[in-house]
């Protein structure tokens, strides 16, 4: 190998740097020497891109964000998430509210200081929101229908309370202080964060259902709606996130403790997640363990594995190592002296299966290097119907144990006399090869934990939910629809519901991927939303009505869920987190749902959310229409 002295190495580095500087200083002429782009040409192009920004200072920076909207979204996400982590006396904004604030401030500065109006295509924010809703539906689906059975009427009552109070506060508040036509409808739309209410208000104007008074044009009424919407939307979004996040604490409840109680309540006493749910295929605590022994006892030497399986059914042999090699167990192998056997069984039984029975315990890594997996298997053969777990255990390959049994999405208690039925789902643990053999015998497929996500089912389910959501029925001039958000979350609920009954449906979804879709989808949606709302806030920051718009909008956003939460826990007897989730859905505040899930460290608040959300979406559209024609 060629060695270079320190002094020579220094001289060589100087020569190399000198050559590079010469290339940079040579200009375009030097670039003609080679056919491809030179280093100076590439570096020059980079500086040509950056120079307008550096020369224009902050103006160039905000112009860059306008030209590159993706950069705006990522910057708002980064800074907003960082701000959301800071807390003051255990109170923090959270990533969603932080992202919204950063995005609004950036867009307002760009508009006020440099006349730059950000307008990011709405399709980006809509798609991000749909990803969030679908991912959320996947997580809460199995509990959703249980929630309907246990608290459906209460969820409907909470929805009606929030909607009616919001309408009364915004409509009569605007009327009381003498706001011009259009402001009441805009306040309802903004404080409820339902943009479609502006659409039904415009529909009332266009159809002639509402005729503006003399001296007021249709355009002016529309501008009033937009101004009230912009002011109340931003303020109500931020303050509602904070209110919903800390509602349990305001009334003296511990959010985490209440969430655990709610999870136990809606799980029906189950201890294992249903098939397809997060954590379903995680190897948790197990009374079963692997141990290896060297065969020295005379009762084992010369014995065949089939006979030992009969003599010691509680401690099956799953691997044999002889002379440093793992033997094939497909035949009826006979043990010899000094073989190392690996067994898997209940720790209690293994403790008593010591060297006195088999031989000394071995620490040979080859004997203990057996990967164990968890798999959900759908029982697809009728011949196993009616067999007890004790009977079924006799045909299981060595080392496979039953961790849980599910029927119609419900966990059943384990016991030797519990009978397995066709279409049940068995959660088995054991060596990978043995699990696959057992799956074949049961007539199903071993669904194992995976790092992949099922894109096909995601796309088809989201498409179906989206198409259902856009179906619109017009009654008396008022357009009604489920809405794409509600349609997609119900698609996620449906997929997870059917998967809990048959894990073959859609295959497993990696929890990390699902969680990423949920968190990134919502915050990216908020970042885009903030860019487009900020300029509207600037245009509304004038006139004597600004203070009234802020006060009425915030009151219409906060008082209804506050009252509904109290009614939920005191009148309907709901768990605090469930009441909070129902109030959040009734307020149509998806970012707030994320906030209470962060605070409680649980997704259980999302169980009542779709019920009250769908109901109040319809009621809010009706109320928005009448707020316009009654002005």
């Amino acid at each position: 190998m060629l060695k270079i002295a320190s002094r020579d190495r220094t001289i060589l580095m100087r020569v190399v740097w000198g050559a590079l500087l010469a290339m940079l200083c040579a200009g375009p002429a030097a670039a003609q020497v080679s056919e491809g782009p030179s280093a100076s040409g590439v570096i020059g192009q980079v500086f040509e891109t950056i120079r307008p920004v550096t020369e224009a200072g902050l103006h160039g920076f905000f112009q860059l964000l306008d030209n590159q909207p993706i950069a705006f979204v990522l910057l708002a996400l980064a800074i907003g998430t960082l701000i959301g982590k800071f807390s003051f006396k255990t109170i923090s904004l959270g990533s969603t509210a932080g992202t919204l604030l950063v995005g609004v401030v950036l867009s307002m500065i760009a508009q006020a200081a440099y006349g730059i109006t950000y307008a990011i295509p709405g399709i980006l924010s809509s798609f991000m929101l749909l990803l969030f809703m679908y991912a959320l539906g996947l997580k809460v689906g199995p509990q959703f229908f249980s929630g309907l059975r246990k608290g459906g009427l209460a969820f409907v009552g909470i929805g009606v309370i929030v909607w009616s109070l919001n309408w009364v506060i915004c409509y009569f508040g605007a009327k009381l202080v003498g706001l011009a036509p259009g402001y009441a409808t805009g306040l309802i739309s903004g404080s409820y964060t339902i943009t479609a209410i502006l659409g039904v208000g415009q529909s009332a104007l266009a159809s002639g259902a509402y005729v503006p008074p003399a001296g007021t044009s249709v355009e002016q009424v529309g501008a009033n709606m937009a101004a009230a919407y912009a002011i109340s939307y931003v303020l109500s979004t931020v303050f509602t996130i904070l209110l919903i996040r800390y509602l349990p604490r305001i009334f003296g409840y511990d959010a985490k403790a209440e969430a655990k109680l709610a999870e136990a309540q809606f799980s029906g006493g189950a201890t294992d997640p249903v098939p397809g749910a997060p954590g379903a295929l995680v190897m948790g605590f197990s009374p079963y363990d692997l141990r290896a022994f060297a065969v020295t006892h005379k009762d084992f030497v010369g014995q065949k594995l089939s006979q030992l399986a009969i003599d010691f059914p509680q401690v099956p042999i799953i691997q044999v190592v002889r002379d440093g090699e793992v033997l094939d167990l497909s035949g009826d192998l006979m043990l010899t002296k000094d073989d190392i056997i690996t067994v898997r069984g209940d720790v209690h039984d293994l403790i008593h299966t010591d060297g006195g029975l088999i031989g000394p315990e071995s620490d040979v890594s080859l004997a203990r290097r057996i990967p164990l997996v968890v798999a959900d298997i759908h029982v697809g053969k009728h011949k196993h119907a009616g067999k007890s777990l004790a009977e079924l255990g006799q045909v299981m390959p060595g080392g496979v144990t039953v961790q849980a049994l599910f029927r119609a999405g419900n966990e059943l208690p384990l016991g030797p006399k519990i009978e397995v039925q066709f279409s049940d789902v068995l959660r088995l643990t054991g060596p990978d090869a043995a699990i696959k053999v057992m799956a074949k015998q049961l007539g199903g497929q071993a669904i194992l934990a995976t790092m992949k996500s099922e894109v096909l089912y995601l796309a088809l389910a989201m498409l179906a939910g989206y198409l259902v959501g856009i179906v619109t029925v017009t009654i008396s001039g008022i357009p009604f629809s489920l809405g794409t958000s509600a349609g997609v979350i119900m698609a996620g609920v449906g997929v997870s519901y059917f998967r809990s009954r048959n894990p073959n449906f859609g295959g497993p979804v990696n929890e990390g991927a699902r969680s990423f879709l949920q968190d990134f989808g919502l915050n990216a949606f908020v970042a885009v939303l903030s860019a487009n709302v900020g300029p509207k806030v600037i245009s509304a920051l004038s006139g004597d009505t600004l203070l009234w718009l802020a006060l009425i909008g915030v009151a219409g956003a906060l008082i209804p869920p506050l009252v509904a939460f109290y009614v939920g826990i005191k009148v309907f007897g709901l768990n605090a987190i469930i009441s909070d989730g129902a109030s959040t859905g009734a307020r149509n505040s998806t970012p707030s749902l994320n906030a209470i899930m962060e605070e409680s460290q649980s997704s259980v608040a999302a169980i009542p959310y779709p019920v009250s959300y769908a109901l109040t979406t319809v009621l809010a559209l009706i109320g928005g229409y009448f707020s316009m024609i009654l002005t």
Side-chain angles (χ1 to χ4, degrees):
M1 182 181 292
L2 181 62
K3 295 185 178 180
I4 302 176
S6 176
R7 178 175 174 275
D8 295 335
R9 189 161 52 245
T10 302
I11 295 174
L12 179 61
M13 290 298 297
R14 289 177 179 176
V15 171
V16 172
W17 278 110
L20 288 174
L21 289 173
M23 291 174 62
L24 292 175
C25 297
Q32 303 300 322
V33 177
S34 61
E35 295 181 0
S38 66
S40 62
V42 173
I43 295 175
Q45 293 175 28
V46 172
F47 277 102
E48 284 298 321
T49 303
I50 299 176
R51 186 169 62 184
V53 178
T54 57
E55 289 179 350
L58 283 176
H59 182 272
F61 169 74
F62 283 101
Q63 187 65 57
L64 174 66
L65 296 182
D66 185 35
N67 296 334
Q68 303 295 335
I70 297 299
F72 177 94
V73 173
L74 295 176
L75 181 64
L77 276 171
I79 300 177
T81 302
L82 182 63
I83 291 176
K85 291 181 178 180
F86 288 102
S87 63
F88 176 74
K89 294 183 178 180
T90 71
I91 296 177
S92 60
L93 283 175
S95 60
T96 304
T99 300
L100 177 68
L101 278 178
V102 170
V104 169
V105 169
L106 287 176
S107 59
M108 288 177 65
I109 293 174
Q111 173 72 22
Y114 306 108
I116 301 173
T117 301
Y118 294 146
I120 301 178
I123 187 174
L124 176 61
S125 63
S126 298
F127 186 67
M128 290 294 118
L129 179 62
L130 295 183
L131 285 177
F132 165 80
M133 300 300 278
Y134 181 74
L136 184 60
L138 283 181
K139 188 163 189 176
V140 305
Q143 296 171 313
F144 173 74
F145 295 100
S146 173
L148 278 181
R149 292 192 298 269
K150 294 181 179 180
L153 184 61
F155 303 158
V156 170
I158 286 175
V160 172
I161 290 171
V162 172
W163 165 73
S164 58
L165 282 179
N166 173 268
W167 196 92
V168 168
I169 291 171
C170 293
Y171 178 79
F172 288 103
K175 202 172 188 64
L176 182 65
V177 300
L179 294 180
Y183 281 120
T185 305
L187 283 169
I188 294 173
S189 180
S191 64
Y192 229 126
T193 58
I194 300 180
T195 310
I197 295 176
L198 290 181
V200 299
Q202 292 286 0
S203 175
L205 286 171
S207 64
Y210 171 75
V211 179
T216 303
S217 65
V218 171
E219 291 74 16
Q220 182 58 50
V221 175
N224 292 344
M225 280 196 293
Y229 167 82
I231 292 295
S232 56
Y233 191 106
V234 174
L235 293 176
S236 65
T237 298
V238 174
F239 286 115
T240 302
I241 290 174
L242 291 174
L243 174 70
I244 294 297
R245 185 185 185 101
Y246 297 113
L247 258 180
R249 189 184 303 188
I250 292 172
F251 286 88
Y253 292 94
D254 184 315
K256 296 177 184 177
E258 286 292 303
K260 290 181 180 179
L261 291 175
E263 288 173 353
Q265 176 187 358
F266 286 96
S267 68
T271 58
D272 288 84
V274 297
L281 301 177
V282 174
M283 177 76 76
F285 169 78
S286 173
Y288 298 92
D289 196 9
L290 290 172
R291 291 176 72 178
F293 298 92
V295 177
T296 60
H297 198 281
K298 61 179 182 179
D299 290 341
F300 273 72
V301 176
Q303 290 289 335
K304 291 186 177 182
L305 296 183
S306 58
Q307 184 61 43
L308 291 173
I310 297 174
D311 295 340
F312 304 97
Q314 304 300 324
V315 188
I317 297 173
I318 61 177
Q319 183 171 273
V320 177
V321 176
R322 181 178 297 168
D323 298 327
E325 294 185 2
V326 178
L327 301 184
D328 182 10
L329 302 185
S330 57
D332 196 3
L333 184 69
M334 179 182 294
L335 296 182
T336 63
K337 189 175 183 299
D338 295 327
D339 283 350
I340 299 176
I341 63 172
T342 306
V343 299
R344 182 173 188 244
D346 189 287
V347 173
H348 176 77
D349 296 327
L350 292 176
I351 290 174
H352 296 284
T353 306
D354 54 16
L357 179 62
I358 301 175
E361 190 162 7
S362 173
D363 62 354
V364 174
S365 60
L366 182 61
R368 298 179 59 84
R369 195 183 303 138
I370 301 177
L372 301 177
V373 299
V374 183
D376 283 340
I377 300 174
H378 182 254
V379 180
K381 289 185 177 179
H382 288 280
K383 70 177 184 179
H384 295 295
K387 287 185 178 180
S388 68
L389 288 180
E391 294 173 328
L392 196 62
Q394 294 177 4
V395 300
M396 285 190 180
V400 175
T401 58
V402 179
Q403 179 173 311
L405 171 64
F406 300 92
R407 182 170 299 157
N410 299 307
E411 184 179 4
L412 301 180
L414 293 181
K417 296 183 179 180
I418 292 294
E419 293 184 350
V420 176
Q421 300 296 334
F422 179 78
S423 292
D424 283 354
V425 176
L426 282 167
R427 179 164 299 151
L428 306 179
T429 64
D432 179 66
I435 289 286
K436 291 178 180 177
V437 171
M438 193 63 210
K440 186 176 181 180
Q441 292 183 11
L442 292 171
Q445 177 184 357
I447 304 300
L448 302 167
T450 179
M451 295 302 293
K452 299 179 180 179
S453 293
E454 184 52 70
V455 178
L456 175 62
Y457 273 79
L458 178 145
L460 290 177
M462 288 185 64
L463 175 62
Y466 183 87
L467 293 177
V468 169
I470 63 175
V471 173
T472 303
V473 178
T474 302
I475 302 175
S476 300
I478 306 176
F480 295 100
S481 66
L482 180 63
T484 55
S485 295
V488 170
I489 193 175
M490 292 309 298
V493 166
V495 169
S496 60
Y497 175 80
F498 287 113
R499 184 176 294 155
S500 70
R501 277 130 176 87
N502 185 350
N504 297 341
F505 185 81
V509 175
N510 177 260
E511 172 57 14
R514 191 211 61 78
S515 179
F516 172 78
L517 288 179
Q518 178 176 314
D519 296 339
F520 183 78
L522 178 63
N523 289 340
F525 159 76
V526 168
V528 175
L529 181 69
S530 65
N532 296 332
V533 168
K536 297 178 181 178
V537 175
I538 291 292
S539 64
L541 292 176
S542 60
D544 299 332
T545 61
L546 175 61
L547 179 61
W548 288 120
L549 294 178
L551 289 176
I552 297 173
V554 170
L558 302 185
I559 294 176
L562 184 68
V563 173
F565 175 84
Y566 181 82
V567 172
I569 58 176
K570 297 299 182 181
V571 178
F572 294 118
L574 295 177
N575 172 280
I577 296 299
I578 297 299
S579 183
D580 204 3
S583 301
T584 308
R587 249 292 282 115
N588 272 227
S589 180
T590 304
S592 299
L593 175 62
N594 197 57
I596 187 55
M597 290 195 299
E598 286 181 353
E599 178 69 12
S600 63
Q601 296 184 2
S602 169
S603 62
V604 73
I607 292 175
Y609 180 88
V611 181
S612 53
Y613 178 96
L615 171 68
T616 54
T617 297
V618 175
L619 293 177
L621 291 174
I622 298 173
Y625 184 83
F626 281 101
S627 72
M628 189 73 258
I629 63 176
L630 294 175
T631 298

